[in-house]
Amino acid sequence: MATATAGWGRPAEALSVGLLRSLDVPRAEAGRVLAGEDGVLGGVRDRMEADLARRRRTLVTLDRILAGGLPQTGMTLMREPACQVVTVREVAAQDEIGAVTSACAARLIEAAGPPEVPLFGLLPPDLSQRVELAAAAEMEDGPDLLPGGVYA
C-alpha cells in the first residue's frame, strides 16, 4: 500500500475532511477549504474564535449569577413632561453593543452637545439577538417628541 510522502495525498485529505467535520464545518465549506480557496479557512477560524469568546463570556456570567444571584438594581419612578429630543438609533449584535453605543453617544453629542447628566443604557436580559439601541437628549428644537409619562 503506497502513501503520499509529499504534498496532498489521500490520507492527508481524509484526515483534513475528518478534522473539518469534527469542527462542524459544513461539507460545502470544507470542500472550499480543501480546494485552497483564499480566506475560507480564516473565516472558519474567525467564526469559531468568536463563538468560543461568546461561550466564555456566557460561562463567566453564569458563574457570577450562581455565586451571587441576579444583581439588584434600584429603580425610581418619576413623572416627566413631554419634551423635544434628538434621538440616535442603531441595531447591534451582542458583541457590537459597546462599539455601537459609543458611536450613538458620539453622534448624539455631535447633534446636541455634551450632556449635562450622565448617560446610561437599558438592555434586555437576552442579548442573543440583535438589540435596538437608542440615545436621546433634550433639545428645544429637537425633531422627535418624547411623550410625557411615568419613566423608570
Side-chain angles (χ1 to χ4, degrees):
M1 178 173 167
T3 60
T5 57
W8 282 95
R10 287 202 182 278
E13 286 180 9
L15 179 58
S16 296
V17 168
L19 290 171
L20 289 164
R21 294 300 295 144
S22 75
L23 294 171
D24 297 323
V25 174
R27 285 188 180 103
E29 196 167 22
R32 292 172 50 212
V33 169
L34 293 174
E37 194 173 312
D38 285 342
V40 178
L41 184 57
V44 168
R45 184 178 288 113
D46 291 347
R47 280 194 314 277
M48 288 185 175
E49 291 290 342
D51 184 56
L52 183 58
R54 180 189 59 78
R55 289 172 184 259
R56 284 185 174 136
R57 286 190 305 269
T58 300
L59 285 171
V60 167
T61 301
L62 180 60
D63 285 341
R64 194 175 309 134
I65 290 169
L66 292 175
L70 290 173
Q72 300 298 312
T73 304
M75 179 174 39
T76 303
L77 296 179
M78 54 181 50
R79 181 168 296 282
E80 291 291 326
C83 63
Q84 293 301 124
V85 296
V86 59
T87 307
V88 175
R89 296 179 189 281
E90 291 287 339
V91 176
Q94 178 185 9
D95 61 341
E96 303 169 328
I97 289 174
V100 172
T101 299
S102 294
C104 282
R107 287 179 33 217
L108 186 61
I109 290 169
E110 184 178 311
E116 294 181 18
V117 296
L119 298 176
F120 66 93
L122 299 174
L123 300 173
D126 179 12
L127 297 177
S128 62
Q129 299 180 5
R130 296 183 67 78
V131 177
E132 182 177 351
L133 303 172
E138 188 170 353
M139 179 181 254
E140 193 171 304
D141 58 348
D144 304 316
L145 175 68
L146 181 66
V150 177
Y151 290 92

